[in-house]
Amino acid sequence: MLFEDDPAMKETIASVLVPVAVPGAYTYRVPQGVTVVPGSIVKVPLGPREVLGAVWDGEPDAAINPKKLKLISHVFEKARPLDDELRRFVDWVANWTLSPPGMVLRMVLRSEEALQEEPPVPGVRKLEGRAPERMTPARQRVLETMQEGLAWTKSGLAHAAGVSASVIDGLLQQDVLEVVSLPAAPPPPMPQVDFAETKLMPAQQVAADGLVASFDQGSAVSLIDGVTGSGKTEVYFEAIAEALRRGKQALVLLPEIALTEQFLRRFEQRFGTYPAEWHSEITTKKRGRTWRGLANGDVRVVIGARSALFLPFVDLGLIIVDEEHDGAFKQDDRVPYNARDMAVVRGHLSRFPVVLASATPSVESRVNADLGRYTRFELPERASGAALPELRAIDMRNNGPDRGRWIAPELLEAMKETFADGGQSLLFLNRRGYAPLTLCRTCGHRFQCPHCSAWLVEHRFQNRLVCHHCGHSETVPKTCPSCNATDSLVACGPGVERIAEEVESLFPQARTLILSSDLPGGPERLRREMKVVEEGGADIVIGTQLVAKGHNFPKMKLVGVIDADLGLAHGDPRAAEKTFQLLAQVTGRAGRVTGGGRGFLQTYSPDHPVLKALMSQDRDAFYTAEIEARRAAGLPPFGRLAALVISGPEKMAAEGYARALVRAAPNEGAVTLLGPAEAALAMVRGRYRFRLLLIAPRQFDLQGYIRHWLANVPKATKGLRVQVDIDPQHFL
């Protein structure tokens, strides 16, 4: 029973989950005359402050003296209670990730503003039979604009009629117009299922028909495995159309904000209107409208980043995870979760289909498809009919550039040919800034972040040295801080800014553009520049990994990878997979529309299996080899991983606690425990970090093991923290 009468107080009590890191719900008194149900959104006192919370399932603690219970301070009666399915999903995510359920709820209850209706805005409307004492051309235009009898905002009417606001005020004073209240925002237009249906190729049609059929199979998961440019988006648009026909809402998860602009335009072309958006760059007001619109059903389709998975849909019936392999779907802080996997869970709990799409699916998804857990739809050809790009490896040991240069002669010659033919070239380097390291050639001093064990990256355009882990920034000094030598600081290695500098010296007539997430202007600037590239407004583009994420650049003919070995040089067990995916995606930008694309990979290891698989364009051979390697090592998806990161302000204390954890680990033969070892990034934001890694068989209850383990060790004190990461994707 959720609530229990207390005769002395004549009040009820309720379990309320609050968005803080505590193990479960707290018990509160419900005000007299107020009714709450499981899922009711409330505000409650918590210590010296008031926080949002939700009435939760489970019995409140009736043994507590009611006089000691605090009273729920406010119930958001106009906000729709969180439904059973969303509450179950919150509990499931908390249990899987070993996170406090309140921290998962925090991702649902984004802000108090979203729970309150926007106040109406004043508007004006024409009174029947009224005319001004003196008619002027400006007044005439206003009245003609209002002929249909609709109400307008004053500023909107003035703009539409081409007059100043004083003209509107004059008509109000003469009682020709009256003031009325207008809703703050009208409901968004509904997507039109049959607005502009797309003619699909045979393979696309087979996949689209399969996705439509999956709606009658409950919690079916489909994988669209299509080469770059194969029209995966058009295929899953048909699944969205089917969801809308059935009166359901749809969610599309994208890994990168920069992808939204192109997606919005394609969605509008197919459905006649834009979907709602949900990501960190939209305004607070827009977020509130989208949150409320999904809860009351006014919003039918939303595209968003991983956090959109926790929105309060009233009738969610489809989730699509585009670029499902992308590491951006994994959140590493607070509640470490993989949005791709949790999307599958949400579909399973609520029994609706989930669609995963990628040109380079994750190994986990490929194995699930091979085992029949997912239905795989293969799109082996580009929708345009264009051939995949021809790929070549440039052996930098024998054919590298001159000293001080970074573009090999063979790639440079190909760029000249492409520029002469009017095509676009893309140079890819997954390093932001000008140079990854700055040192003094007199004394050898290296510029390191004071808060992290990482070198400061020079950003020459901003004249700053920046840490890409904590954000520390300082001006590039004129002299060495160690030996005071002047003109002795030298940049080591290239970043995208340095490659751009070389390109501009070699191609002074070309329109050169850098695409990097840390340049001034943020996502809005990136969206504008992506459109410039799409429309052919740049000849040579230099970009980081964000250019590899599903963009369609019709005039792109050539892709050059400056350092194809970059992702293979560390101990990440997924390094081969990630490098294959990244390089296949970025080279796939070439020749998507007209064909004739070429890709050049500069490498010191041309015989590496990953690069050989790319050169031969034999995706299946790569996946077969990688899957067998994972199986032999007992790594996901054939085994399970969990990481424990122990951090603290003092190195010895953090290491000591990590070693104490290892000594207290339960003796379980099925679990292999590695560590403690210093993290690859041993210090971040002033905290020293040690890692433990657990490897277990796939069917082993790893969460239960860790839960029991941590419940029986001394609690971390003196600033020490332990973060558990189930199924880690990153190993820094």
Side-chain angles (χ1 to χ4, degrees), residues 393-694:
I394 299 175
D395 189 340
M396 298 287 278
R397 297 170 300 182
N398 306 316
N399 303 305
D402 295 335
R403 184 177 178 84
R405 295 286 187 176
W406 310 100
I407 302 173
E410 187 177 357
L411 175 56
L412 179 59
E413 191 60 34
M415 292 173 64
K416 290 178 180 178
E417 294 172 5
T418 303
F419 180 60
D421 292 340
Q424 289 176 321
S425 297
L426 167 64
L427 296 182
F428 169 74
L429 177 62
N430 204 19
R431 278 204 190 109
R432 293 175 286 165
Y434 184 84
L437 171 65
T438 299
L439 58 77
C440 173
R441 57 188 162 197
T442 300
C443 71
H445 173 79
R446 299 184 177 198
F447 287 84
Q448 182 171 340
C449 176
H451 312 296
C452 306
S453 51
W455 307 121
L456 294 178
V457 177
E458 180 183 352
H459 287 251
R460 187 156 293 189
F461 295 167
Q462 304 170 33
N463 193 37
R464 307 290 293 177
L465 295 170
V466 180
C467 175
H468 288 167
H469 301 284
C470 72
H472 170 81
S473 173
E474 57 189 62
T475 303
V476 179
K478 297 185 182 299
T479 61
C480 173
S482 179
C483 69
N484 294 319
T486 59
D487 298 324
S488 67
L489 301 183
V490 59
C492 299
V496 286
E497 293 177 11
R498 194 169 197 174
I499 300 301
E501 182 180 81
E502 182 174 344
V503 167
E504 288 167 357
S505 69
L506 294 168
F507 296 88
Q509 304 303 317
R511 298 167 296 176
T512 304
L513 184 65
I514 298 177
L515 291 178
S516 179
S517 59
D518 57 357
L519 291 176
E524 185 56 40
R525 174 180 179 270
L526 272 178
R527 280 192 285 265
R528 290 196 306 269
E529 293 183 343
M530 289 288 186
K531 192 170 183 181
V532 167
V533 179
E534 184 182 350
E535 294 173 350
D539 300 310
I540 302 175
V541 180
I542 302 96
T544 59
Q545 65 177 350
L546 63 87
V547 300
K549 299 187 178 185
H551 305 287
N552 184 26
F553 302 136
K555 296 186 178 182
M556 191 67 67
K557 288 287 191 177
L558 173 70
V559 172
V561 178
I562 299 299
D563 186 353
D565 307 322
L566 190 58
L568 299 170
H570 52 78
D572 185 343
R574 290 186 173 88
E577 177 190 11
K578 291 176 181 177
T579 301
F580 178 84
Q581 290 165 338
L582 184 60
L583 297 183
Q585 290 278 349
V586 73
T587 54
R589 301 310 105 198
R592 286 169 65 103
V593 176
T594 59
R598 292 185 292 170
F600 291 84
L601 281 68
Q602 299 187 166
T603 173
Y604 288 92
S605 306
D607 294 325
H608 193 286
V610 169
L611 300 183
K612 291 180 74 172
L614 281 166
M615 294 304 106
S616 64
Q617 300 202 10
D618 192 344
R619 298 166 70 247
D620 288 341
F622 169 77
Y623 280 107
T624 298
E626 186 67 12
I627 288 169
E628 286 308 311
R630 298 272 188 95
R631 193 195 311 271
L635 294 174
F638 305 102
R640 299 200 56 201
L641 295 180
L644 271 65
V645 179
I646 298 92
S647 66
E650 296 181 2
K651 182 176 181 179
M652 290 185 62
E655 183 177 11
Y657 190 71
R659 293 190 181 281
L661 282 179
V662 172
R663 289 193 296 270
N667 187 12
E668 171 56 66
V671 177
T672 300
L673 176 57
L674 304 177
E678 272 194 318
L681 280 172
M683 184 172 67
V684 175
R685 297 183 178 90
R687 297 183 64 83
Y688 294 91
R689 305 163 72 243
F690 288 84
R691 292 180 63 95
L692 305 176
L693 184 66
L694 290 82

Side-chain angles (χ1 to χ4, degrees), residues 153-214:
T153 62
K154 192 162 71 170
S155 60
L157 178 58
H159 178 75
V163 302
S164 66
S166 61
V167 177
I168 312 297
D169 292 334
L171 292 172
L172 284 167
Q173 291 172 3
Q174 295 188 31
D175 293 330
V176 177
L177 305 180
E178 66 173 343
V179 176
V180 295
S181 291
L182 298 175
M190 299 290 284
Q192 301 174 48
V193 171
D194 301 320
F195 180 77
E197 295 188 49
T198 305
K199 182 173 178 56
L200 302 176
M201 295 176 66
Q204 289 178 305
Q205 191 64 58
V206 169
D209 292 343
L211 297 186
V212 170
S214 71

Side-chain angles (χ1 to χ4, degrees), residues 184-462:
M190 299 290 284
Q192 301 174 48
V193 171
D194 301 320
F195 180 77
E197 295 188 49
T198 305
K199 182 173 178 56
L200 302 176
M201 295 176 66
Q204 289 178 305
Q205 191 64 58
V206 169
D209 292 343
L211 297 186
V212 170
S214 71
F215 281 84
D216 296 321
Q217 300 170 20
S219 54
V221 181
S222 301
L223 172 64
I224 307 176
D225 182 358
V227 299
T228 54
S230 59
K232 295 179 288 294
T233 304
E234 283 70 25
V235 170
Y236 68 64
F237 274 174
E238 298 311 302
I240 294 175
E242 182 63 18
L244 294 172
R245 289 189 190 100
R246 295 178 180 232
K248 300 292 186 179
Q249 295 167 302
L251 165 64
V252 181
L253 295 179
L254 300 176
E256 183 69 52
I257 296 173
L259 288 172
T260 59
E261 181 66 27
Q262 195 172 79
F263 182 92
L264 289 171
R265 284 186 272 118
R266 293 173 73 176
F267 188 94
E268 192 268 342
Q269 291 168 4
R270 172 63 178 84
F271 295 101
T273 188
Y274 291 116
E277 296 180 68
W278 185 268
H279 50 74
S280 60
E281 295 301 317
I282 61 174
T283 64
T284 301
K285 184 176 289 187
K286 268 192 172 183
R287 290 168 77 86
R289 288 174 181 171
T290 298
W291 199 96
R292 290 189 297 271
L294 290 167
N296 63 30
D298 285 343
V299 172
R300 307 308 298 172
V301 181
V302 62
I303 66 165
R306 60 182 181 240
S307 61
L309 191 59
F310 295 90
L311 289 169
F313 295 86
V314 66
D315 201 2
L316 183 59
L318 173 69
I319 297 178
I320 292 160
V321 185
D322 204 352
E323 307 291 343
E324 62 89 22
H325 67 279
D326 200 288
F329 286 123
K330 178 63 189 292
Q331 175 167 294
D332 291 316
D333 58 346
R334 294 190 177 179
V335 180
Y337 72 95
N338 190 316
R340 177 198 65 212
D341 297 343
M342 296 306 102
V344 172
V345 169
R346 187 159 189 185
H348 178 76
L349 293 175
S350 301
R351 299 197 58 75
F352 60 70
V354 174
V355 178
L356 312 178
S358 176
T360 52
S362 63
V363 169
E364 287 84 350
S365 294
R366 277 292 296 258
V367 170
N368 280 328
D370 292 344
L371 295 176
R373 299 189 187 109
Y374 298 171
T375 302
R376 181 183 174 212
F377 298 102
E378 192 171 4
L379 302 178
E381 298 177 352
R382 286 178 160 177
S384 64
L388 291 170
E390 176 191 348
L391 302 183
R392 289 176 55 84
I394 299 175
D395 189 340
M396 298 287 278
R397 297 170 300 182
N398 306 316
N399 303 305
D402 295 335
R403 184 177 178 84
R405 295 286 187 176
W406 310 100
I407 302 173
E410 187 177 357
L411 175 56
L412 179 59
E413 191 60 34
M415 292 173 64
K416 290 178 180 178
E417 294 172 5
T418 303
F419 180 60
D421 292 340
Q424 289 176 321
S425 297
L426 167 64
L427 296 182
F428 169 74
L429 177 62
N430 204 19
R431 278 204 190 109
R432 293 175 286 165
Y434 184 84
L437 171 65
T438 299
L439 58 77
C440 173
R441 57 188 162 197
T442 300
C443 71
H445 173 79
R446 299 184 177 198
F447 287 84
Q448 182 171 340
C449 176
H451 312 296
C452 306
S453 51
W455 307 121
L456 294 178
V457 177
E458 180 183 352
H459 287 251
R460 187 156 293 189
F461 295 167
Q462 304 170 33

